[in-house]
Amino acid sequence: MTATATAKSADERLVRTSPLRKLLGRPELGSVVGAVAVFVFFTVFADSFLKPTSLATVLYAASTIGIMAVPVALLMIGGEFDLSAGVLVTSSALISSMFSYQMTANVWVGVGVSLLATLAIGVFNGLMLTRTQLPSFIITLGTFLMLTGMNLGFTKLISGTVSTKKISDMEGFASAQDVFASTLTIGDVDFKVTILWWLGMVAVATWILLRTRAGNWIFAAGGNKEAARAVGVPVTATKVGLYMGVGLGAWVAGQHLLFSFDVVQSGEGVGNELTYIIAAVIGGCLITGGYGSAVGSAVGALIFGMTSKGIVFAEWNPDWFKFFLGAMLLLATLLNHWVRRRAEAST
Amino acid sequence: MARVRTGVRAVGAVLAMALGVSLAGCSDTGGKRAEDARKAAAGGKAAVNTPRWTFAMITHSGDGDTFWDIVQQGAEQAAVKDNIKFLYSHNDEAQQQAQLVDTAVDKDVDGIIVSLAKPDAMKAAVARAVKAGIPVITVNSGSAESKKFGALTHIGQDETVAGQAVGEELNKRGHKKALCVLHEQGNVGHEQRCDGTKDTFDGKLANLYVDGTNMPDVQAAIEAKLQADDSIDAVVTLGAPFADTAVKAKESAGSKAEIDTFDLNEAVATGLKDGTLGFAVDQQPYLQGYQAVDLLWLYRYNADVLGGGQPVLTGPQIVTEKDAGDLLDYAKRGTR
């Protein structure tokens, strides 16, 4: 045994890589460089950017995107998209609000129902995808449109207006608000609790990806579906699980919307799915699947938060925001691509 | 290297020629030069010597919205006059708009102007501003919530009142069956306008939802509705850009319905003048921006508040053919 091991030490899997090379191989490296650049940039050009309260605002903005960018990134690593992720957040908020109100139930009941519903929508997406073999683009585009319509349709049908009724005077609201939308004051700076949710999700997702069997399945399913299936990876279960993960993220983000704003507008959320995908891509996820990280999606969300709020702190004309974002996306992707090529070439 | 230089020279020559042609071939009317002249005439100097305060305006406008452009225009002109540093930002997602208000508070501005299209979403952000001692004025939408949230005053149009004015005007014009075209599902103000019209209109009013971001769809939807029901004798659109589309839809449907609209722009003023449009309800967006900045300045300078706890209404002002001449000029310069 020992003889074979030494004989096979030329095997590329057993080659010791230097820490530097390992670092270069990390998917989020490019985005970290990008994030530092953006941070320095706004520190120089926007006076109030470095104030603790400003940073709290930036972190809050990043967290609201980041909570969804984590499961969306995992899904992308698994080789799929979810275009329904943006409106699913709104659906999640609408479901808990309307269920609690109509049933005059404790708010937590609505929260629970909403969790079941978002997970079910995830299962629906996953099963449709694996059963029909259609591209996820088509399947989730369908879900996206149906959810958009249902959000408006059901809300109008049930509450008669385009927004939900107030539920802040109902039982359980205060405790649910503590969980999903409270503020933590450190010194005299208010941090939103979503930041904790976000960091927690990044930690859990990173653990799943790097330390569990499911993590290997995700990489394998996104890298080469057929090959993965051939070596016994449960591809169907993995993909359904990933879509349920998006449902879970949407549930958290949706509950935050509901409990911080009390009333939910049924027409919101459209377009946000792209924001999440952009955050994941800036963070080093490959559009083609099989490569990326949860930490990267968090850095991507942070870049998004810094840019969207930094432009305001710098007092620039917001008309240019989209241009700036597009340039950032291109730069980050190019940088990622370059770093990865260098890393691959040197192994 | 030599080839690159020739390339640069060639580009230079083309640019020079283009510049020459454009200078020689100047238009004597209209264009950028006329606009610049108008701007110069409007003046760009502060009329007061109060400190240079910073006011931030955060609206729920989408990207490239003409209505909010006029609001911004009014605010900017008042800011120049009042020696105010004016910052503008906008987002049509409530959560994003609230975060923008947060950034203004972080920046410690001297006054905040905010629109409350989705009031509950803005509540916490406005409260944070008030708590930080920043005076807040609400504009456009949110007249019911403004005071509750701790704002100094609200400047805008009461949407229900505006709708009621439309219903009365429709009665005056003898209409029997009208169509209310909503171009944004989910906008509370839009619902209030149509409901207000329903309140006072003696005839029948039907709502039609269209996708405002997709003009061909808007036209097709109105066209189909007019073809399906030829007893409709009036179409009310809720935004100026849609009036023109409704006219096109009416023509291709061969309908005799009168097209009326909320809000004003150059095309609507032209339409009123040549009779393709019946009337328009103007809420004077210029005034909403101008008054908001001016009132914040007055509050800072003199602790003045307008409205006595009631919203300051900028509309509805019903405008028809007889006002069209002047309005067209003002709409052209982007202030009506």
Side-chain angles (χ1 to χ4, degrees):
Chain A
M1 277 305 277
T2 31
T4 42
T6 33
K8 273 198 174 168
S9 68
D11 187 322
E12 54 159 22
R13 286 169 296 180
L14 298 178
V15 170
R16 277 175 183 274
T17 44
S18 70
L20 180 72
R21 198 155 287 163
K22 255 189 197 154
L23 186 71
L24 279 175
R26 299 291 310 151
E28 59 272 357
L29 177 74
S31 59
V32 170
V33 174
V36 171
V38 172
F39 182 80
V40 171
F41 183 82
F42 282 117
T43 308
V44 173
F45 286 100
D47 327 324
S48 38
F49 188 73
L50 266 190
K51 269 181 22 186
T53 51
S54 307
L55 291 178
T57 304
V58 166
L59 275 180
Y60 172 51
S63 70
T64 53
I65 298 161
I67 284 174
M68 281 306 282
V70 171
V72 165
L74 254 54
L75 185 67
M76 279 181 79
I77 298 171
E80 306 295 342
F81 283 107
D82 191 349
L83 295 182
S84 64
V87 281
L88 189 56
V89 173
T90 313
S91 304
S92 142
L94 288 172
I95 292 168
S96 24
S97 168
M98 286 198 289
F99 191 88
S100 311
Y101 188 87
Q102 294 302 324
M103 301 288 153
T104 328
N106 186 300
V107 170
W108 280 101
V109 177
V111 173
V113 170
S114 163
L115 175 62
L116 292 179
T118 47
L119 289 178
I121 291 165
V123 172
F124 172 80
N125 274 333
L127 284 182
M128 282 295 280
L129 177 90
T130 46
R131 288 283 156 83
T132 61
Q133 303 284 329
L134 285 171
S136 58
F137 183 86
I138 301 290
I139 300 285
T140 59
L141 186 64
T143 319
F144 159 71
L145 292 170
M146 288 193 293
L147 284 178
T148 313
M150 282 189 342
N151 283 354
L152 287 165
F154 274 124
T155 314
K156 196 79 194 281
L157 196 69
I158 292 171
S159 39
T161 60
V162 288
S163 57
T164 62
K165 301 269 200 315
K166 243 183 215 314
I167 58 158
S168 54
D169 53 353
M170 295 181 66
E171 251 175 70
F173 188 89
S175 58
Q177 195 169 34
D178 283 345
V179 173
F180 292 108
S182 56
T183 323
L184 312 165
T185 312
I186 301 171
D188 53 353
V189 186
D190 293 338
F191 290 94
K192 292 271 162 65
V193 75
T194 44
I195 300 170
L196 283 184
W197 276 98
W198 176 40
L199 296 179
M201 288 180 72
V202 173
V204 171
T206 306
W207 176 73
I208 290 175
L209 269 183
L210 300 181
R211 290 274 177 272
T212 70
R213 207 149 57 137
N216 283 330
W217 292 344
I218 295 172
F219 280 109
N224 186 337
K225 197 169 60 180
E226 297 314 320
R229 195 166 272 142
V231 297
V233 170
V235 173
T236 305
T238 306
K239 299 219 161 165
V240 172
L242 286 173
Y243 275 106
M244 288 174 73
V246 176
L248 183 71
W251 174 72
V252 175
Q255 302 315 302
H256 170 67
L257 267 189
L258 172 61
F259 292 107
S260 57
F261 298 146
D262 186 10
V263 169
V264 191
Q265 307 285 331
S266 52
E268 298 218 327
V270 178
N272 285 352
E273 63 282 346
L274 273 183
T275 309
Y276 310 141
I277 293 175
I278 293 173
V281 171
I282 291 183
C285 287
L286 274 192
I287 302 245
T288 46
Y291 189 82
S293 71
V295 176
S297 79
V299 181
L302 189 62
I303 291 184
F304 221 108
M306 285 195 291
T307 314
S308 65
K309 299 301 167 274
I311 286 178
V312 182
F313 286 122
E315 302 179 5
W316 288 341
N317 190 333
D319 294 350
W320 289 93
F321 169 63
K322 293 268 165 64
F323 171 83
F324 206 74
L325 202 64
M328 194 98 66
L329 176 67
L330 274 183
L331 276 176
T333 319
L334 283 175
L335 192 64
N336 275 332
H337 187 70
W338 179 78
V339 167
R340 205 172 53 247
R341 284 268 290 273
R342 293 298 294 264
E344 278 166 5
S346 52
T347 44
Chain B
M1 216 36 214
R3 212 172 52 200
V4 174
R5 270 211 203 107
T6 9
V8 170
R9 243 181 250 146
V11 171
V14 169
L15 278 181
M17 214 154 82
L19 194 68
V21 168
S22 63
L23 279 179
C26 260
S27 162
D28 285 335
T29 55
K32 178 88 176 85
R33 216 203 297 169
E35 187 194 322
D36 288 344
R38 275 198 303 270
K39 268 190 192 148
K45 262 204 203 130
V48 293
N49 58 2
T50 45
R52 192 159 172 79
W53 290 310
T54 304
F55 294 167
M57 179 177 212
I58 302 107
T59 72
H60 67 276
S61 159
D63 286 335
D65 186 309
T66 47
F67 178 90
W68 286 102
D69 215 39
I70 301 171
V71 176
Q72 207 184 329
Q73 180 93 246
E76 265 163 9
Q77 284 183 10
V80 167
K81 184 202 69 177
D82 292 341
N83 193 26
I84 296 297
K85 182 170 172 192
F86 178 72
L87 304 172
Y88 180 77
S89 54
H90 63 90
N91 202 301
D92 50 2
E93 290 268 333
Q95 187 176 31
Q96 295 287 326
Q97 196 197 346
Q99 285 176 4
L100 288 172
V101 174
D102 282 343
T103 59
V105 176
D106 294 337
K107 286 175 76 70
D108 228 348
V109 295
D110 302 292
I112 288 178
I113 301 157
V114 63
S115 68
L116 303 179
K118 291 150 189 177
D120 301 283
M122 304 302 294
K123 194 175 179 178
V126 172
R128 191 169 164 237
V130 172
K131 198 179 143 211
I134 301 172
V136 176
I137 285 187
T138 57
V139 290
N140 188 251
S141 31
S143 55
E145 292 80 9
S146 177
K147 200 175 168 189
K148 263 189 285 174
F149 288 4
L152 291 181
T153 188
H154 177 82
I155 300 163
Q157 159 178 274
D158 185 309
E159 301 292 7
T160 310
V161 172
Q164 287 164 347
V166 170
E168 280 157 16
E169 184 71 21
L170 287 174
N171 289 339
K172 216 191 284 172
R173 289 166 175 257
H175 292 299
K176 297 278 172 279
K177 190 162 189 186
L179 191 64
C180 196
V181 184
L182 297 98
H183 60 267
E184 218 180 278
Q185 282 193 338
N187 186 320
V188 182
H190 286 185
E191 302 279 340
Q192 288 170 342
R193 286 179 177 181
C194 290
D195 290 348
T197 309
K198 205 173 267 170
D199 282 352
T200 51
F201 183 42
D202 297 332
K204 265 191 166 164
L205 183 89
N207 284 3
L208 176 70
Y209 289 91
V210 295
D211 178 6
T213 55
N214 184 348
M215 265 310 178
D217 176 74
V218 175
Q219 188 178 338
I222 299 174
E223 205 178 305
K225 187 80 186 172
L226 288 176
Q227 279 165 342
D229 185 353
D230 56 8
S231 64
I232 293 173
D233 55 10
V235 176
V236 181
T237 57
L238 298 189
F242 302 97
D244 205 34
T245 312
V247 169
K248 289 196 189 92
K250 162 195 162 176
E251 279 162 7
S252 51
S255 159
K256 294 260 173 297
E258 177 184 275
I259 312 292
D260 305 308
T261 187
F262 281 83
D263 296 347
L264 201 67
N265 66 9
E266 195 180 327
V268 168
T270 314
L272 289 173
K273 201 173 174 185
D274 59 26
T276 50
L277 298 177
F279 66 90
V281 197
D282 192 10
Q283 59 169 315
Q284 310 191 78
Y286 183 83
L287 209 50
Q288 294 181 359
Y290 190 93
Q291 279 301 334
V293 169
D294 222 21
L295 275 184
L296 270 181
W297 177 83
L298 277 167
Y299 179 77
R300 278 266 161 210
Y301 174 67
N302 207 26
D304 282 328
V305 179
L306 211 58
Q310 297 295 318
V312 179
L313 299 187
T314 60
Q317 191 196 21
I318 300 239
V319 291
T320 57
E321 197 183 346
K322 62 178 171 25
D323 318 294
D326 282 344
L327 285 184
L328 188 56
D329 291 340
Y330 304 148
K332 263 187 189 155
R333 70 178 186 199
T335 59
R336 270 308 278 265

Coordinates of all heavy atoms in Angstrom, one line a residue, chain B residues 208-244:
Chain B
L208 N -59.4 49.6 -16.3 CA -58.6 48.7 -17.2 C -57.2 48.8 -16.8 O -56.6 49.8 -16.7 CB -58.8 49.2 -18.7 CG -57.9 48.5 -19.7 CD1 -58.5 47.1 -20.0 CD2 -57.9 49.3 -21.0
Y209 N -56.6 47.6 -16.5 CA -55.3 47.5 -16.0 C -54.4 47.2 -17.3 O -54.6 46.3 -18.0 CB -55.0 46.4 -15.0 CG -55.6 46.7 -13.7 CD1 -56.9 46.3 -13.4 CD2 -54.9 47.4 -12.7 CE1 -57.5 46.6 -12.2 CE2 -55.5 47.7 -11.5 CZ -56.8 47.3 -11.2 OH -57.3 47.6 -10.0
V210 N -53.3 48.0 -17.4 CA -52.4 47.8 -18.5 C -51.0 47.8 -18.0 O -50.7 48.3 -16.9 CB -52.5 48.9 -19.6 CG1 -53.9 48.8 -20.3 CG2 -52.3 50.3 -19.0
D211 N -50.1 47.3 -18.7 CA -48.7 47.2 -18.3 C -48.0 48.5 -18.8 O -47.6 48.6 -20.0 CB -48.0 45.9 -18.9 CG -46.6 45.9 -18.5 OD1 -46.1 46.7 -17.7 OD2 -45.9 44.9 -19.0
G212 N -47.8 49.4 -17.9 CA -47.3 50.8 -18.3 C -45.9 50.8 -18.8 O -45.5 51.7 -19.5
T213 N -45.1 49.7 -18.6 CA -43.8 49.7 -19.1 C -43.7 49.1 -20.5 O -42.6 49.0 -21.1 CB -42.9 48.8 -18.2 OG1 -43.5 47.5 -18.1 CG2 -42.7 49.4 -16.8
N214 N -44.9 48.8 -21.1 CA -44.9 48.2 -22.4 C -46.0 48.9 -23.2 O -47.1 48.5 -23.2 CB -45.2 46.7 -22.2 CG -45.2 45.9 -23.5 OD1 -45.1 46.5 -24.6 ND2 -45.2 44.6 -23.4
M215 N -45.6 50.0 -23.9 CA -46.5 50.8 -24.6 C -47.4 50.1 -25.7 O -48.6 50.3 -25.8 CB -45.8 52.0 -25.3 CG -45.8 53.3 -24.5 SD -47.3 53.8 -23.8 CE -46.8 55.2 -22.9
P216 N -46.7 49.2 -26.5 CA -47.6 48.5 -27.5 C -48.7 47.7 -26.8 O -49.8 47.7 -27.3 CB -46.6 47.5 -28.1 CG -45.3 48.1 -27.9 CD -45.3 48.9 -26.6
D217 N -48.4 47.2 -25.6 CA -49.4 46.5 -24.9 C -50.5 47.4 -24.4 O -51.7 47.0 -24.4 CB -48.7 45.8 -23.7 CG -49.7 45.1 -22.8 OD1 -50.1 44.0 -23.2 OD2 -50.0 45.6 -21.7
V218 N -50.1 48.6 -23.9 CA -51.1 49.6 -23.5 C -52.0 49.9 -24.6 O -53.3 49.9 -24.5 CB -50.4 50.9 -23.0 CG1 -51.4 51.9 -22.6 CG2 -49.5 50.6 -21.8
Q219 N -51.5 50.1 -25.8 CA -52.3 50.5 -27.0 C -53.2 49.4 -27.3 O -54.4 49.6 -27.5 CB -51.4 50.9 -28.1 CG -52.2 51.4 -29.3 CD -51.3 51.8 -30.5 OE1 -50.2 52.1 -30.3 NE2 -51.9 51.9 -31.6
A220 N -52.7 48.2 -27.4 CA -53.5 47.0 -27.8 C -54.6 46.8 -26.8 O -55.8 46.5 -27.2 CB -52.6 45.8 -27.9
A221 N -54.3 47.0 -25.5 CA -55.4 46.7 -24.5 C -56.5 47.7 -24.6 O -57.7 47.3 -24.6 CB -54.7 46.8 -23.1
I222 N -56.1 49.0 -24.8 CA -57.2 50.0 -24.9 C -58.0 49.8 -26.2 O -59.2 49.9 -26.2 CB -56.6 51.5 -24.8 CG1 -55.8 51.7 -23.5 CG2 -57.7 52.5 -25.0 CD1 -55.1 53.0 -23.5
E223 N -57.3 49.5 -27.2 CA -57.9 49.3 -28.5 C -58.9 48.2 -28.4 O -60.1 48.3 -28.8 CB -56.8 48.9 -29.5 CG -57.1 49.2 -31.0 CD -56.0 48.8 -31.8 OE1 -54.9 49.3 -31.6 OE2 -56.2 48.0 -32.8
A224 N -58.5 47.1 -27.8 CA -59.4 45.9 -27.7 C -60.6 46.3 -26.9 O -61.7 45.9 -27.2 CB -58.6 44.8 -27.0
K225 N -60.4 47.0 -25.8 CA -61.5 47.4 -24.9 C -62.5 48.3 -25.7 O -63.7 48.1 -25.6 CB -61.0 48.1 -23.7 CG -62.0 48.4 -22.6 CD -62.3 47.2 -21.8 CE -63.4 47.4 -20.8 NZ -63.8 46.2 -20.1
L226 N -62.0 49.2 -26.5 CA -62.9 50.1 -27.2 C -63.6 49.4 -28.3 O -64.8 49.7 -28.6 CB -62.0 51.3 -27.8 CG -61.5 52.3 -26.8 CD1 -60.6 53.3 -27.5 CD2 -62.7 53.0 -26.1
Q227 N -63.0 48.4 -28.9 CA -63.6 47.6 -29.9 C -64.7 46.7 -29.3 O -65.8 46.6 -29.9 CB -62.6 46.7 -30.7 CG -61.9 47.5 -31.7 CD -60.6 46.7 -32.2 OE1 -60.1 45.8 -31.5 NE2 -60.1 47.1 -33.4
A228 N -64.4 46.2 -28.2 CA -65.4 45.3 -27.5 C -66.6 46.1 -27.0 O -67.7 45.5 -27.0 CB -64.7 44.6 -26.3
D229 N -66.4 47.3 -26.7 CA -67.6 48.1 -26.1 C -67.6 49.5 -26.8 O -66.9 50.4 -26.3 CB -67.4 48.2 -24.6 CG -68.6 48.8 -23.9 OD1 -69.5 49.3 -24.7 OD2 -68.6 48.9 -22.7
D230 N -68.5 49.6 -27.8 CA -68.5 50.9 -28.5 C -69.3 52.0 -27.8 O -69.5 53.1 -28.3 CB -68.8 50.7 -30.0 CG -70.2 50.1 -30.1 OD1 -70.9 49.9 -29.1 OD2 -70.6 49.7 -31.3
S231 N -69.9 51.6 -26.6 CA -70.6 52.6 -25.9 C -69.7 53.5 -25.0 O -70.2 54.4 -24.4 CB -71.7 52.0 -25.1 OG -71.1 51.1 -24.1
I232 N -68.4 53.1 -24.9 CA -67.5 53.9 -24.1 C -67.3 55.2 -24.8 O -66.9 55.3 -26.0 CB -66.2 53.2 -24.0 CG1 -66.4 51.9 -23.1 CG2 -65.1 54.1 -23.3 CD1 -65.1 51.0 -23.0
D233 N -67.6 56.3 -24.1 CA -67.5 57.6 -24.8 C -66.4 58.5 -24.1 O -66.2 59.7 -24.5 CB -68.8 58.4 -24.8 CG -69.4 58.5 -23.4 OD1 -68.7 58.2 -22.4 OD2 -70.6 58.9 -23.3
A234 N -65.7 58.0 -23.2 CA -64.5 58.7 -22.6 C -63.5 57.7 -22.0 O -63.8 56.7 -21.5 CB -65.0 59.6 -21.5
V235 N -62.2 58.0 -22.3 CA -61.1 57.2 -21.7 C -60.3 58.2 -20.9 O -59.9 59.2 -21.4 CB -60.3 56.6 -22.9 CG1 -59.1 55.9 -22.3 CG2 -61.1 55.7 -23.8
V236 N -60.1 57.8 -19.6 CA -59.2 58.6 -18.8 C -57.9 57.8 -18.5 O -57.9 56.8 -17.9 CB -59.9 58.9 -17.4 CG1 -59.1 59.8 -16.5 CG2 -61.3 59.6 -17.7
T237 N -56.8 58.4 -18.9 CA -55.5 57.8 -18.6 C -54.9 58.5 -17.4 O -55.2 59.6 -17.1 CB -54.5 57.9 -19.8 OG1 -54.3 59.3 -20.1 CG2 -55.0 57.1 -21.0
L238 N -54.1 57.8 -16.6 CA -53.6 58.3 -15.3 C -52.2 58.9 -15.5 O -51.7 59.4 -14.5 CB -53.6 57.2 -14.3 CG -54.9 56.5 -13.9 CD1 -54.8 55.6 -12.7 CD2 -56.0 57.6 -13.7
G239 N -51.7 58.9 -16.6 CA -50.4 59.6 -16.8 C -50.3 60.1 -18.2 O -50.8 59.6 -19.2
A240 N -49.6 61.3 -18.3 CA -49.5 62.0 -19.6 C -49.1 61.1 -20.8 O -49.6 61.2 -21.8 CB -48.7 63.2 -19.4
P241 N -48.0 60.3 -20.6 CA -47.5 59.6 -21.8 C -48.6 58.6 -22.3 O -48.5 58.2 -23.5 CB -46.3 58.8 -21.2 CG -46.0 59.4 -20.0 CD -47.2 60.0 -19.4
F242 N -49.5 58.2 -21.5 CA -50.5 57.2 -22.0 C -51.6 57.9 -22.7 O -52.4 57.2 -23.4 CB -51.0 56.5 -20.8 CG -49.9 55.8 -20.0 CD1 -49.3 56.4 -18.9 CD2 -49.3 54.6 -20.5 CE1 -48.3 55.8 -18.2 CE2 -48.3 54.0 -19.8 CZ -47.7 54.6 -18.7
A243 N -51.8 59.2 -22.6 CA -52.9 59.9 -23.3 C -52.7 59.7 -24.8 O -53.6 59.4 -25.6 CB -52.9 61.4 -22.9
D244 N -51.4 59.9 -25.2 CA -51.1 59.9 -26.7 C -51.4 58.5 -27.2 O -51.9 58.3 -28.3 CB -49.6 60.2 -26.8 CG -49.3 60.7 -28.2 OD1 -50.2 61.4 -28.7 OD2 -48.2 60.4 -28.7

